[in-house]
Amino acid sequence: MEEKQYIEPQEEESSIDFGQILAALKKRKRLYYKVLSITFVGACIFTLGLRNYYTCEVKLSPELSTKTSRSSGLASLASQFGMNLGSNMMATEALFPTLYPDLMNSSDFKASLFNVPIHKKDSTRILSYYDYLAKEQKPSWWGAIISAPFKALGELIGSKDTIDQHRVNPFMLTKEQAKIVETIDKKVVCDVDKKTMVISITVTDQDPLICATIADTVQHRLQNFITDYRTKKAKVDLEYNRKLFKEAKARYDKARQLYASYSDANQDMILLSYKTKLIDLENEMQLCFNNYNAVAQQLQLAEAKVQEDTPAFTTLQSATVPVKKAGPSRAKMVLIFLFLAFLATTVYILHKENQLKPLLGL
């Protein structure tokens, strides 16, 4: 009985008295009014300083077939000329869609967007995307206040890092160009769904028209970039075959003209030496013709190879000018600020009224 009487007071002392907690909070309710009012005004001022931004998304579905299936027509064409393309046609694509975001993250690709001509929705003035990001971006009011002294100091000192988007060396970017590349990295995002292999290109900007323009430009630049990458070797082979074709045709034309000239000049000759010379010229012309015919076939195959290696893209969602802004959600931000202020005020009151330790079980 004594142990039971000793244990019961401990349980009573460790129990939480919610009545006292509620009374302590009501006692300081004026503090809630002050803190929440100040927080509401401050949150409104903060969120109103944020700039609206728009988002445009483009979705593409790339070709995923292997070279074996894509080159069946090319193999059948080669077989007609008695040529065997061998096992090299069994290789799969060298550039998989999951690597496309890495291509867009390269400095070469981002620097290619510097000279894209754009204009704002409420303006007809044409300027480059580089100049727009460098001069036309509107910061928040507190960002403008913070950056104003540094901007004035930079103008006073006179920076030697001039803005010239027409002279871009991705291997050695200037400080200003590197900042623009970082800005593009935040504004232009490429993602690939590993299950469906659908490419999503998302562009965020303060102007809706520029947002859609850059999204459409990035889509076509990415397609051209991938097409050039996939057909690079085939195009090199095509140019080499064109060179061989021109040389073979020139040799054949020369041999034909030489044979025709010699035959016309010695038409009435019956000497064996003249006939032998004529036969040699005819054989030489025939050899040049055979070489010319073989090179022409190779040129035809090279042209077909470029066409076979050119990838196909299906546009699932094209670029459109967004009508509604994507953010910021000022109402949600104000509610979050008010919730955090309410929570902090409650903790402060409980601490002052010595109700925080019993609540935490200390």
Side-chain angles (χ1 to χ4, degrees):
M1 294 294 294
E2 292 179 358
E3 293 180 356
K4 186 176 181 180
Q5 292 176 356
Y6 178 73
I7 294 174
E8 287 179 354
Q10 285 185 343
E11 292 179 354
E12 292 177 358
E13 290 178 0
S14 61
S15 62
I16 300 174
D17 191 347
F18 290 99
Q20 293 183 2
I21 294 176
L22 185 60
L25 296 178
K26 288 183 178 181
K27 182 180 178 181
R28 299 290 189 100
K29 61 181 180 181
R30 291 185 178 179
L31 182 60
Y32 279 112
Y33 299 150
K34 293 180 181 179
V35 172
L36 294 180
S37 299
I38 295 174
T39 303
F40 178 77
V41 174
C44 291
I45 296 175
F46 176 82
T47 55
L48 289 175
L50 298 175
R51 300 297 180 181
N52 295 335
Y53 61 87
Y54 300 84
T55 300
C56 181
E57 185 177 16
V58 177
K59 291 185 178 181
L60 301 172
S61 180
E63 183 182 24
L64 297 176
S65 60
T66 61
K67 288 187 178 181
T68 302
S69 60
R70 292 171 56 245
S71 303
S72 58
L74 182 60
S76 62
L77 178 62
S79 64
Q80 295 178 3
F81 298 119
M83 301 179 63
N84 184 12
L85 297 180
S87 61
N88 291 333
M89 300 305 297
M90 300 298 293
T92 56
E93 299 294 344
L95 189 62
F96 206 62
T98 53
L99 298 178
Y100 293 172
D102 296 330
L103 288 176
M104 288 188 57
N105 289 333
S106 64
S107 298
D108 293 341
F109 186 85
K110 294 175 184 176
S112 68
L113 301 176
F114 284 177
N115 59 353
V116 176
I118 57 173
H119 68 87
K120 295 182 180 180
K121 187 176 181 180
D122 56 353
S123 175
T124 57
R125 184 169 65 96
I126 303 297
L127 68 162
S128 67
Y129 190 49
Y130 183 97
D131 290 335
Y132 169 74
L133 294 178
K135 302 176 182 178
E136 301 294 329
Q137 288 290 282
K138 297 179 180 179
S140 57
W141 61 267
W142 62 86
I145 294 175
I146 295 174
S147 62
F150 298 97
K151 185 177 181 180
L153 182 61
E155 294 177 354
L156 181 62
I157 296 176
S159 176
K160 297 181 180 180
D161 189 15
T162 59
I163 300 176
D164 187 5
Q165 73 276 15
H166 301 290
R167 301 179 59 184
V168 179
N169 182 11
F171 180 74
M172 186 181 296
L173 296 173
T174 63
K175 292 181 179 180
E176 189 69 26
Q177 291 169 351
K179 291 180 181 179
I180 300 301
V181 168
E182 293 178 359
T183 303
I184 294 177
D185 186 42
K186 297 177 182 179
K187 289 181 173 292
V188 182
V189 179
C190 179
D191 188 25
V192 177
D193 190 337
K194 294 183 179 180
K195 293 183 179 180
T196 61
M197 292 301 166
V198 174
I199 307 169
S200 299
I201 301 173
T202 306
V203 179
T204 304
D205 199 87
Q206 296 179 358
D207 187 88
L209 180 58
I210 293 177
C211 179
T213 303
I214 296 301
D216 184 69
T217 302
V218 170
Q219 172 190 349
H220 290 90
R221 292 283 177 93
L222 180 62
Q223 292 179 1
N224 295 335
F225 195 89
I226 295 170
T227 300
D228 292 341
Y229 182 90
R230 295 259 295 270
T231 60
K232 184 176 182 180
K233 185 179 183 304
K235 288 181 178 179
V236 171
D237 294 340
L238 177 60
E239 290 300 322
Y240 179 70
N241 280 279
R242 284 175 177 171
K243 179 182 177 182
L244 294 179
F245 177 79
K246 291 180 180 180
E247 293 176 353
K249 189 176 185 302
R251 287 194 298 267
Y252 171 66
D253 291 340
K254 183 178 179 181
R256 185 181 59 180
Q257 292 175 0
L258 185 61
Y259 171 78
S261 299
Y262 187 83
S263 178
D264 292 341
N266 301 278
Q267 186 175 6
D268 297 331
M269 295 295 178
I270 60 175
L271 295 177
L272 185 60
S273 59
Y274 288 102
K275 291 183 179 181
T276 302
K277 178 67 174 177
L278 184 64
I279 292 173
D280 292 339
L281 291 176
E282 184 179 1
N283 292 337
E284 181 68 21
M285 181 184 65
Q286 187 63 39
L287 289 175
C288 291
F289 174 76
N290 293 338
N291 182 43
Y292 167 72
N293 188 37
V295 172
Q297 294 175 2
Q298 292 179 359
L299 177 61
Q300 187 177 5
L301 288 175
E303 291 175 346
K305 183 67 166 57
V306 173
Q307 180 63 30
E308 288 290 330
D309 284 349
T310 301
F313 294 89
T314 301
T315 303
L316 302 179
Q317 180 176 333
S318 59
T320 56
V321 179
V323 178
K324 297 182 179 180
K325 67 175 184 178
S329 180
R330 294 181 173 85
K332 292 182 179 179
M333 295 179 67
V334 171
L335 290 177
I336 292 174
F337 277 113
L338 291 176
F339 173 76
L340 294 177
F342 177 83
L343 185 62
T345 305
T346 301
V347 173
Y348 174 78
I349 293 174
L350 293 178
H351 175 68
K352 287 296 184 179
E353 297 296 330
N354 296 323
Q355 297 295 327
L356 185 60
K357 292 183 178 180
L359 183 63
L360 298 177
L362 300 176

